[in-house]
Amino acid sequence: MYIGGVEGGATHSTLVICDAAGAVVGRAKGPSTNHWAVGIAGVAERIAVMVRTAKQEAQIPDDQQLTAIGLCLSGAEADDTNRELEVYLRTHYPTVAERYVVCSDTIGSIHAVSQVGGMVIIAGTGSNTLLRNPDGSTHGCGGWGHMIGDEGGAWWISRNAIKTVFDHLDNLMPSKLPIDRAWKLIQEHFGVRTQHDLLDHCYGRFCKTTYAGLCAKLARCALEEADPLCRALFEEAGVMLARSVCALQQRISPELLDHSGELGVVCVGSVWLSWELLRPGFVLELHDRRFPYDLRLLRLKTTMAVGAAYLAADTYELPLPRTYSDNYDVFYTHRASASTNGNGANGSK
């Protein structure tokens, strides 16, 4: 028995194959598997290529189907397109797997840390928050893409930096914080000198991942140079990520809280690497909105693709041994009952 799992992001993807003992025996990397970006046929082809590569590492014959595969993909929120992808794979790549589970990338992250459910906040290129209760019901906030949402994600932070600079230079909304350093980073990142030079990257040559790439440079400037505007951009991102948690407050089942009364929240995506910058806004927002539950923020020690494999196994009642505590670290604990000044003083870490 071999069970596969795919972590399908907006920028890159990861696939694993687990054997009957739960060990990862094959791995593969690939580009984006978001059907809104590359189409159903493009996603299917990329998954098939990754499966072939991982089978080679696992020494599985290419014509042997995986027993099941979980596809937890960015953009896979609609049942009709998920079914379309499954049908396309069965028709055009029949040796991939016998059984499929296709769902949003948020689901796989939760399954990597718990069988009963939990919450996940994805803050990578884009953003998305999802709650899964023990009865299997799911509730989301965000995940609508950069034209409508993505608050707190890398694209959103980068876009806000550019918007702040442009509004200041136009004297439309002068910034209270100096914009010089951020403007220099924008110029260097896009290879431009003037505001007009950047328009090509906003329209004809627009690339969401290129925009998101600016975020890492803003983070370094905030940490290493303590630039006030860069720090403010991340603090605001922390506010928006916490707000997405509060938006789902009424949907949280009491059965989801563990024996200590804490809710586990899986934090996925490169923006969480800047937790030191996000924390003031995140904590203050929880406090201001009087969020009633203690939170444990979890960082995966393994790829979310492992959670996708767990999901496939559980869906089809296939035995797949696992130890959830091996898959994550707790990097911050928020105490709802404690007072805070917005600097994270109410957390244990």
Side-chain angles (χ1 to χ4, degrees):
M1 183 183 74
Y2 294 101
I3 298 177
V6 175
E7 173 185 1
T11 303
H12 59 266
S13 303
T14 302
L15 181 145
V16 300
I17 296 175
C18 299
D19 65 12
V24 175
V25 294
R27 296 175 177 82
K29 297 283 188 181
S32 169
T33 45
N34 185 317
H35 74 89
W36 294 113
V38 300
I40 294 293
V43 171
E45 179 185 11
R46 292 175 178 190
I47 289 170
V49 169
M50 287 191 292
V51 168
R52 191 177 306 119
T53 301
K55 281 181 178 178
Q56 291 174 353
E57 181 180 337
Q59 298 183 338
I60 301 171
D62 187 49
D63 60 355
Q64 178 180 334
Q65 292 177 310
L66 300 178
T67 309
I69 189 168
L71 306 178
C72 295
L73 311 177
S74 172
E77 279 83 25
D79 290 339
D80 55 348
T81 51
N82 293 352
R83 177 59 181 166
E84 183 182 349
L85 174 60
E86 178 182 343
V87 170
Y88 195 96
L89 281 163
R90 290 186 182 280
T91 302
H92 294 85
Y93 304 99
T95 62
V96 167
E98 298 175 33
R99 305 174 181 91
Y100 288 87
V101 178
V102 187
C103 62
S104 167
D105 52 350
T106 51
I107 297 291
S109 301
I110 294 174
H111 273 268
V113 303
S114 172
Q115 197 168 25
V116 299
M119 185 180 288
V120 59
I121 312 173
I122 293 181
T125 301
S127 66
N128 192 6
T129 300
L130 183 116
L131 171 73
R132 183 180 177 88
N133 282 316
D135 63 1
S137 63
T138 59
H139 308 279
C141 178
W144 303 116
H146 68 280
M147 288 294 292
I148 302 173
D150 277 352
E151 291 86 355
W155 180 88
W156 184 86
I157 294 170
S158 301
R159 180 266 181 193
N160 282 0
I162 295 170
K163 178 64 172 165
T164 300
V165 168
F166 271 49
D167 285 351
H168 180 86
L169 294 175
D170 286 351
N171 201 32
L172 174 67
M173 191 178 296
S175 174
K176 296 179 181 179
L177 301 172
I179 58 97
D180 295 355
R181 193 69 187 96
W183 179 220
K184 183 67 174 177
L185 290 173
I186 293 166
Q187 291 171 306
E188 292 174 352
H189 180 73
F190 290 99
V192 301
R193 292 187 305 106
T194 69
Q195 290 172 271
H196 284 93
D197 292 340
L198 191 58
L199 293 183
D200 194 26
H201 292 279
C202 298
Y203 300 99
R205 294 171 57 194
F206 174 77
C207 176
K208 184 177 177 180
T209 55
T210 299
Y211 262 75
L214 172 64
C215 184
K217 298 175 181 178
L218 296 169
R220 282 195 296 271
C221 185
L223 284 170
E224 297 173 7
E225 304 176 34
D227 179 78
L229 176 56
C230 291
R231 295 187 71 88
L233 291 167
F234 280 88
E235 184 170 339
E236 180 62 19
V239 168
M240 299 307 296
L241 295 174
R243 194 168 293 175
S244 72
V245 174
C246 296
L248 298 173
Q249 175 184 323
Q250 301 301 323
R251 304 288 192 173
I252 298 172
S253 168
E255 299 174 1
L256 195 58
L257 305 177
D258 63 19
H259 63 278
S260 63
E262 296 174 346
L263 175 66
V265 180
V266 188
C267 301
V268 179
S270 59
V271 173
W272 289 106
L273 297 174
S274 301
W275 169 243
E276 179 182 333
L277 301 171
L278 300 171
R279 182 171 63 179
F282 188 91
V283 173
L284 185 59
E285 184 68 10
L286 292 177
H287 172 70
D288 287 350
R289 289 182 173 249
R290 291 179 167 80
F291 187 77
Y293 304 116
D294 292 346
L295 300 179
R296 288 183 304 136
L297 301 189
L298 314 178
R299 180 179 292 116
L300 290 181
K301 295 164 61 177
T302 184
T303 170
M304 180 263 280
V306 170
Y310 292 169
L311 172 61
D314 294 344
T315 299
Y316 294 107
E317 300 182 348
L318 301 170
L320 189 64
R322 68 202 76 170
T323 303
Y324 287 111
S325 58
D326 291 343
N327 293 340
Y328 65 85
D329 286 321
V330 180
F331 69 90
Y332 187 78
T333 303
H334 172 79
R335 300 300 179 194
S337 58
S339 62
T340 177
N341 59 9
N343 293 319
N346 64 327
S348 64
K349 291 185 180 181

